[in-house]
Amino acid sequence: YLEGETLADRLGKGALPTEQILRYGIEIADALDKAHRQGIVHRDLKPANVMLTRSGVKLLDFGLAKAMTPATQQSSLTALPTQQGLTQEGTILGTFQYMAPEQLEGKEADGRTDIFAFGAVLYEMATGKKAFSAPSQASLITAIMSSEPAPISSVQPTSPAALDRVVRTCLAKDPEERWQSASDLKRELRWIGEGSQ
């Protein structure tokens, strides 16, 4: 019921200009930060779940979201999920092309899992190509687990070098090597935007 278009529809027309990548990226990171602070991991971040509206970016479809322990407990909110046992441990949920390695292995997802997916979305916004693609599900999983996408600058030479670094850090195979919070990622994207003006 939102007016606008999905990021997936917009990407059908090609890569986005740097200014839009940064603006939309900051807004997506802000939405993720708010969800993570409330103890929610999205687990299915992808362009089809991002709506571009006149009032800004809207993050949609929390159907696969999972409760995690919030970084700071909110006294007025319960940390207990309303339903338990909807999925079994080790179950793979989400869209493969945007899944973090630990998600593919059926391990526990946290905010850094969404940050990996966000890196794949940023890469696609900057290049117009998916960060990971393969002809079969098995080879796609192998690509995500063991290969790196081509640097953004090799596909879009005019993109800021700092954006390459941000995306590479998001797409680190080890969650400990990624950005540790969406708020840090948002600040980094703002810094890039200030430097490119």
Side-chain angles (χ1 to χ4, degrees), residues 25-26 29-30 33 37 166 179 181-194:
I26 289 166
D30 185 55
D33 181 46
R37 287 178 190 266
V166 165
W179 296 100
S181 76
S183 66
D184 288 344
L185 192 46
K186 179 174 66 173
R187 275 194 296 278
E188 191 71 13
L189 291 171
R190 276 197 183 125
W191 177 81
I192 294 169
E194 290 165 5

Side-chain angles (χ1 to χ4, degrees), residues 6-16 47 98 121 124-126 128:
T6 65
L7 180 56
D9 289 340
R10 170 55 191 85
L11 287 169
K13 302 169 193 162
L16 278 66
Y98 303 94
V121 170
E124 197 169 340
M125 288 166 63

Side-chain angles (χ1 to χ4, degrees), residues 58-86:
K58 306 292 181 202
L59 190 52
L60 309 176
D61 194 359
F62 280 78
L64 295 180
K66 183 175 185 201
M68 64 177 179
T69 305
T72 56
Q73 287 287 352
Q74 303 286 329
S75 60
S76 63
L77 301 175
T78 178
L80 298 174
T82 54
Q83 291 184 310
Q84 294 185 9
L86 293 176

Side-chain angles (χ1 to χ4, degrees), residues 157-169:
T158 59
S159 71
L163 183 60
D164 241 341
R165 186 180 72 81
V166 165
V167 171
R168 270 197 324 274
T169 305

